[in-house]
Amino acid sequence: VDNSIDAGARNILVRVLQRDERAVGLLLVDDGQGMDTEAVDQAMGYARRREYGDEDLGHFGIGLKAASLSQSDTLLVWSRRWGAPAVGRLLERESLNTGPLVKSIATEDAVERLAAVDAGFSLETGTVVEWRDVRGFLQSPDPEEQRAWLESAIERLRTHLGST
């Protein structure tokens, strides 16, 4: 969310992905300035320096990767900046042991993925951050317990973000 705000997003959507009433993933969608190839490689890279403005919420360049891979096994980033082709990157937690390997995804696949997102606002520019195989979600087989947990998690997120 901090990165979305720094990118000038007017709209930010957080969506929990479910399979059989069980939370399995998370999408964060924004309509900020988006990223081109250079910017997404900078965002996904490790040990890269950049200049941060006084108003920027991030300052070290590790938040996206650290937050994502501390909670999920797979991080996907899809983005489109005005005048640039859509980009996609994938980082898997298991690659951390061998020196993180960021994989590029074909532009056609990135275009397709961005088009498939129904955010309720325009994604002419913007970014989708996708967590797959989230480890911190409740794994109970009881659907009632799953629903109660998800409702509670959503309420905690709303409170944390100051959203209604």
Side-chain angles (χ1 to χ4, degrees):
V1 171
D2 289 350
N3 291 335
S4 297
I5 293 167
D6 284 348
R10 289 170 290 142
N11 297 285
I12 302 170
L13 171 69
V14 179
R15 180 175 288 155
V16 176
L17 305 175
Q18 293 178 276
R19 185 180 311 121
D20 300 325
E21 298 189 47
R22 177 176 288 155
V24 295
L26 186 115
L27 282 184
L28 189 137
V29 184
D30 75 49
D31 64 353
Q33 68 186 15
M35 293 181 277
D36 57 15
T37 299
E38 182 180 339
V40 77
D41 288 341
Q42 182 80 18
M44 295 294 286
Y46 284 81
R48 295 188 185 198
R49 299 182 62 117
R50 77 169 179 92
E51 294 297 320
Y52 288 91
D54 291 338
E55 300 297 316
D56 287 346
L57 297 170
H59 287 284
F60 303 105
I62 59 171
L64 172 65
K65 284 99 47 196
S68 298
L69 296 179
S70 72
Q71 300 299 313
S72 69
D73 290 335
T74 305
L75 165 64
L76 289 131
V77 176
W78 314 93
S79 195
R80 178 174 27 228
R81 179 175 275 176
W82 188 257
V87 294
R89 296 294 184 270
L90 175 133
L91 179 59
E92 294 174 305
R93 189 170 198 268
E94 68 184 25
S95 79
L96 296 179
N97 296 329
T98 59
L101 175 64
V102 177
K103 298 176 185 173
S104 293
I105 299 172
T107 296
E108 300 79 27
D109 294 335
V111 167
E112 186 177 314
R113 181 64 181 112
L114 289 165
V117 174
D118 181 13
F121 51 84
S122 172
L123 272 179
E124 285 185 38
T125 64
T127 301
V128 175
V129 173
E130 184 175 350
W131 290 358
R132 292 187 183 165
D133 306 312
V134 177
R135 293 182 309 280
F137 288 166
L138 181 67
Q139 298 299 311
S140 170
D142 180 354
E144 273 307 309
E145 192 174 11
Q146 284 287 338
R147 269 192 291 283
W149 176 85
L150 184 55
E151 288 172 11
S152 173
I154 290 170
E155 187 55 38
R156 287 191 313 273
L157 178 62
R158 284 183 173 150
T159 299
H160 178 75
L161 295 175
S163 175
T164 57

